Amino acid sequence: MKPEPRTLPPSPNWYCSRCSDAAPGGIFGFAARTSVFLVRVGPGAGASPGAPPFRVVGELVGHTDRVSGFTFSHHPGQYNLCATSSDDGTVKIWDVETKTVVTEHTLHQHTISALHWSPTVKDLIVSGDEKGVVFCYWLNRNDSQHLFTEPRTIFCLTCSPHHENLVAIGYKDGIVVIIDISKKGEVIHRLRGHDDEIHSIAWCPLSGEDCLSINQEENSEELDIPNGKLIAETPITKGCYLATGSKDQTIRIWSCSRGRGVMVLKLPFLKRRHGGVDPTVKERLWLTLHWPKNQPTQLVSSCFGGELLLWDLTQSWRRKYILFSTSAEGHNHSRIVFNLCPLKTEDGKQLLLSTSMDRDVKCWDMATLECCWTLPSLGGFAYSLAFSPVDVGSLAIGVGDGMIRVWNTLSIKNNYDVKNFWQGVKSKVTALCWHPNKEGCLAFGTDDGKVGLYDTCSNKPPQISSTYHKKTVYRLAWGPPVPPMSLGGEGDRPSLTLYSCGGEGTVLQHNPWKLSGEAFDINKLVRDTNSIRYKLPVHTEISWKGDGKVLALGNEDGSIEIFQVPNLRLLCTIQQHHKLVNAIVWHHEHGSRPELSCLLASGSNNAVIYVHNLKAVVESNPEAPVTITEPYRTLSGHTAKITSLAWSPHHDGRLVSACYDGTAQVWDALREEPLFNFRGHRGRLLCVAWSPVDPECIYSGADDFCVYRWLTSMQDHSRPPQGKKCIELEKKRLSQFKPKLKKKKKPTLRLPVKLDSSVGNEDESVKESSGPVENGLSDQDVEEEAQEPELPPSPVVCGEPISCTTISSGFEKSKVTVSSKATSLKKEPPKEKPEALLKKRKARSMLPLSTSLDHRSKEELHRDCLVLATATHAKAELNEDVSADLEERFHLGLFTDRATLYRMMEAEGKGHLESGHPELFHQLMLWKGDLKGVLQAAAERGELTDSLVAVAPVAGYSVWLWAVEAFAKQLCFQDQYVKAASYLLSIHKVYEAVELLKSNHLYREAIAVAKARLRPEDPVLKDLYLSWGSILERDGHYAIAAKCYLGATSAYDAAKVLARKGDAASLRTAAELAAIAGEHELAASLALRCAQELLLVKNWVGAQEALGLHESLQGQRLVFCLLELLCRHLEEKQPPEVRGPSSIYHQWATGSEGTLVQRVTGVWCSAFSVDTPEQCQAALQKLQDVEYPSATSNTPFRQLLLHVCHDLTLAMLSQQAAAWEEAVPALLQAVVRSYTSGNFTLMQEIYSAFLPGGCDHLRDKLSDLSPAMAAFKSLQAFCIYGQLYEVWWSLCGPGRESSIWVLSAESAVSDKPSKPEDSAGAEDAGQPPGLRLSAESERLLSACKELFSERHASLQTSQRTVTEVQETLAEMIRQHQKSQLCKATTNGPNRDEPSQEAERAPSQPPSPTREKRNALVSLPELTRRLTEANKRIAEFPESVKAWPFPDVLECCLVLLHIGSQCPGAVDPEMQQQAQTLLQKYGHSRAYRRHCQIRHT
């Protein structure tokens, strides 16, 4: 059985009473998210010598929601069975050996909160839910029982190990009950004493109450809590102790015979002995218990900070306990412990396993109370992996739980030697990068835009950069400083600076010596150096070449820009991807082929990986930026976006990719060949890293909270899944945990509303914590990453009443009808009651208090008259009595002086405010003339109105300005931004109004205002267009974004954003737009892309129309014309039943008169007006600037056809321009492309269509001293090579018939009588009866001497020797590394890592010959061979090395086979020459076996 890859698993689930358990024999399982991970513990774990004896051996996958309970069967014979409960409502029974579900039930209607497999009944599983319902399920008889004892939330339950019918249940409110399931859940005891959640229940391992010497009379009154009813002692209740742990910080021991508590243990407050926890974190207490089976007088419990205590129960009054791991520092848990479970190994050791909030699983030796080993885990997505270049083997892992893990993968004593770093992080760690030279210096970036440096060799907190990114940090990279940081002297600046790329699209340069200083945006330097006037693209990826001389930037629009230091001068732009670039990586520089260091691999949101060879660009250093539109290699196979890439440091051209399709793929990039595919993850892969010490070891991380270490040669698959396999993998990924939406009250009218799936239940620890991000099981990573970022949300379109009508019920319709009737009643009141209606509409009185006072009794009214008369006729000052009366009777102010009137108005105003009518108060103040006071009071209360502001000018201009500004602020608080902007415009604050609209994303309104009120050249207007365009571009509204860029007079950006859609229509529009704006280079590039897109659907007419958009593409039009005619020619040769879908051809492509060459030249002349040598020369010059990479056996056929037609077009144009020196190499290039791609049929079609009469006419065009003569000889050799194979296949093919190469017996007799003895000899020699070689074949065989070039045979043998020596050296290096690794692991092989023979891939079977040769040949001998071979190659003239030539030895073998089948047909001298060449040069690995067969 294939061993499991080494796993760094997800964290065990939190706040579950029993989500881990162990079976006798050494299997431990813990619930993590939606699955259960299994760990083999003990001697049978197969761990390497010296390492802790445990290993993660598998996973139980099947639940769709959080696993809340896990329990093993502890009955002999069924230790392989276990049960799980989940929030998806199911209880599943598993077989851990096969990792499959045996059976399951869905009896619960509510969330299951407790589970236990009865220790006395072998097939009984008991479960409880949060509503208090208990189900007993008998596995063997598939029967169940429903029990409802208490209407409370169950927190835990445990079956009695002594009585098969007793079950103890702990509730959330602190109640503990013991029920008898045989009596329909009758309550035997109701134990009261705890006043908070019951976290754990443990039965005493021994029956009876003699094991503890507890004096019941000593117990305090608190313990003597009656049960509420007297229960007589029965055999089933007699003699049993029970321990319970609660959130109230106490442990209580209960007597089941008496039904009351006998002991209380209060948790001690222990001083922290380690600093591994954030003091700001507030966490719940969780108190879990374990009663050791062989130690009934001792009890193990957890404590506040993760400590474990061993309580001594023999002396209850002393409350004595022992701390676990008192000698070792830092071996305790640093956070609360959730579960404790015992395990007895095969060698008899008693162990205790614990799971904790610190995400560690620890194993304790119960004999010494010391920690044996620790299994770390991950609480979030594994976002980033990075191996240290200095401390080899140190793997840094960036996790979504807010912590950085540093895994020492080379540790001998511990396979999981992991250190955690959390200080100063406090967010998801999305990017990591080690310093290339400084040990322990690790840069990290987070989800909230933070960039920092950790010294992993110390315990110091990290240094944090003072400059934050606005969004997530995508990538970090160390590189040489660029201006302005590089302007100082050598001692004033660091040799390497830190570059960070954030989600907002900027790349910042940080000074590691002074992170508190400001970081610099390199966009300013890029713009200044390259004089860029258009909008810079949004950067998403950064990668420095190994020598630090070239920088690659990936962009959101799919382009990749290559810059040269020190001033970041743009060398070239790669226009290959058309979606956001996620990964860029340069090939390493320490391989056997230094030229490969210029290979750049890139992956984006589409599923294709492109490899570009930038050697020519980097070395030529072009003056103007170059645009590259053709890849060097294309790696196709993935079905989702690429997230990470890594080159192998041990191989040349080997690449591993991580993808959202759930797999990691290893490629041979040079041959475009998929090698190995890893499918172990259950989620989308986010990162991948190649081990720096093991050539076959790769680490990968995903959104399944796992990091896997896997071996390439142990994989069953060679390429990513396609079709049904891909669907199955997607189902596997979708079986992961899905966060539940928050429960909301159901609306009465259900309308089709798009729910936001990012809203989910948070774990309680997340709500309470301000420290490291927690996941429990609802880490926010799940909600955020579950969305596809590349697809913008669809806007909700309103105004379609049909959709609502179909959903609405009849009741809702009737409600609408009633409301409409009520409205009609209000609109048409009854005519017989006009007075009543007028009374309802009567306005509220402005002076209600005065009016009410004037309706008092007659005596009061008379008194008012006297007081008023006294006040008005008093000649002197009023006495105190009269003044008091006037103050009391304020309503008389209407008839006295102004001061009294003001008092009356103040009283009336207060009354209006108290009754909730501020508008009436404002009117009174206006009557009074205090308009400014009215405005101030209204502004303070936020009660300004349009009418108040309208009358504000009465109080003066300054008051009006102030009132309008105050009202605008008030409107902003009320989310009325447009109205607020309108008021600001009324006081001529145009810039403030525009900024207000812009800041609230009302760009359309802001642009309208700015366009109407500002100067056309005002920079604010351009900034508005660019800002709105960026937002629209980010949301995928490319057409409107293009309008914005056009409004900002940035046609270049408009064309670029239109092209981002990638379809033919968008590309054509973008090309036309660029042409109109004068961006000719961009227009040509987009038009060519459009034509290539149309080429994929065989729309030849549309492709030509697209190419016609720009005159510089005239040469490409000729290439596409030739391609169309060639495809038509090849299609006509195919049988009708195998032809593909019909293509849209031009009218001129449907004719069949003349040869293909004649038709091509005719169409060029008639349709494209290319008929003079000058026009051909002009087109030739344009096409010669385009270079395509060499072909491989994995090059797609359509791409191969396009490249071949490009070469053929060059050849034909050269012929028409009489440039034969260029025509022959172009023809040869087309033939070589077909040859190297393995497409023999295409090669022969090229010869039959373009060289139907052979190559002799070309010889006459070239002089003997012509540089192209060597190319001609190669072209002639390939022609003969192809015809030679045709002769051989005609002889030995399954359907042999007469052809130009082979004649039937009848035709042979009629044409040329043969001698009887010849034919008899042929039959005796094995020649097929009735067939003989034609005269054309004999002429060809005589021409084969052109193939037997000894110079080429010698050159090819030397080249094969170099290749074989390089392969042998690489194999020896890999073997040496593995042997060193084995020696490091205490001179013993790791059982997890099978031998080389077992690891060898199916595509690379073990070769005893090669192993023997590697063992015999020494390194000096290999070096000597390599040196001699390179020396021989250097001695050959360039004319021989420059042009490919058919394999001479291969031609010798084919000729000898023909000679054996047709004796006498091959000249004996030629046969002897072939034999001599094989004997002289056939000692290489490829031909040794064939030569031995020939000799025998």
Side-chain angles (χ1 to χ4, degrees), residues 6 150 280 314 401 415 440 494 547 596 737 814 1295 1408 1493:
R6 189 183 301 174
E150 300 280 343
T280 63
T314 55
D401 57 7
N415 290 334
D547 57 8
L596 297 182
F737 167 67
S814 64
I1493 294 175

Side-chain angles (χ1 to χ4, degrees), residues 5 35 100 111 263 316 365 507 520 522 588 677 724 749 823 835 837 866 894 919 1022 1197 1244 1254 1305 1396 1418:
S35 56
T100 56
T111 302
M263 186 184 301
S316 59
D365 188 343
V507 175
F520 298 99
I522 68 170
H588 56 82
N677 185 254
K724 293 182 179 179
L749 177 62
T823 307
E835 295 86 4
L837 185 62
L866 294 177
L894 199 60
E919 70 280 358
K1022 184 174 182 179
F1197 182 66
Q1244 293 305 96
Q1396 176 68 18
S1418 63

Side-chain angles (χ1 to χ4, degrees), residues 1187-1208:
E1187 294 184 4
Y1188 290 114
S1190 59
T1192 67
S1193 58
N1194 292 288
T1195 302
F1197 182 66
R1198 290 183 181 178
Q1199 181 180 337
L1200 175 65
L1201 268 182
L1202 177 62
H1203 296 176
V1204 166
C1205 287
H1206 180 270
D1207 297 327
L1208 294 175

Side-chain angles (χ1 to χ4, degrees), residues 336-349:
I336 56 176
V337 175
F338 292 113
N339 292 133
L340 298 171
C341 59
L343 185 146
K344 187 175 182 180
T345 61
E346 298 170 353
D347 53 358
K349 278 190 177 181

Side-chain angles (χ1 to χ4, degrees), residues 918-994:
E919 70 280 358
L920 300 181
F921 167 72
H922 297 155
Q923 292 184 37
L924 280 178
M925 294 298 103
L926 285 176
W927 292 0
K928 185 179 176 182
D930 187 11
L931 182 57
K932 187 175 181 180
V934 171
L935 295 172
Q936 288 178 346
E940 292 174 359
R941 293 172 170 269
E943 296 169 351
L944 283 173
T945 62
D946 298 88
S947 58
L948 282 177
V949 177
V951 298
V954 177
Y957 181 73
S958 60
V959 174
W960 174 62
L961 290 179
W962 173 86
V964 171
E965 290 183 355
F967 190 38
K969 291 180 181 178
Q970 177 182 313
L971 290 172
C972 289
F973 282 115
Q974 298 168 356
D975 296 337
Q976 299 184 48
Y977 305 110
V978 176
K979 189 174 181 180
S982 300
Y983 269 93
L984 290 175
L985 289 174
S986 68
I987 57 174
H988 305 290
K989 294 201 170 186
V990 182
Y991 289 103
E992 289 82 352
V994 171

Side-chain angles (χ1 to χ4, degrees), residues 607-609 635-642 657 659-665 667 674 677 679 717-730:
V608 182
I609 301 166
L635 307 179
S636 303
H638 282 299
T639 56
K641 76 176 184 179
I642 310 299
S657 58
C659 180
Y660 257 31
D661 63 9
T663 68
Q665 176 67 42
W667 309 84
N677 185 254
R679 304 183 182 182
H717 306 279
S718 62
R719 60 179 63 247
Q722 305 290 329
K724 293 182 179 179
K725 294 180 181 178
C726 189
I727 295 173
E728 292 173 1
L729 203 67
E730 182 68 11

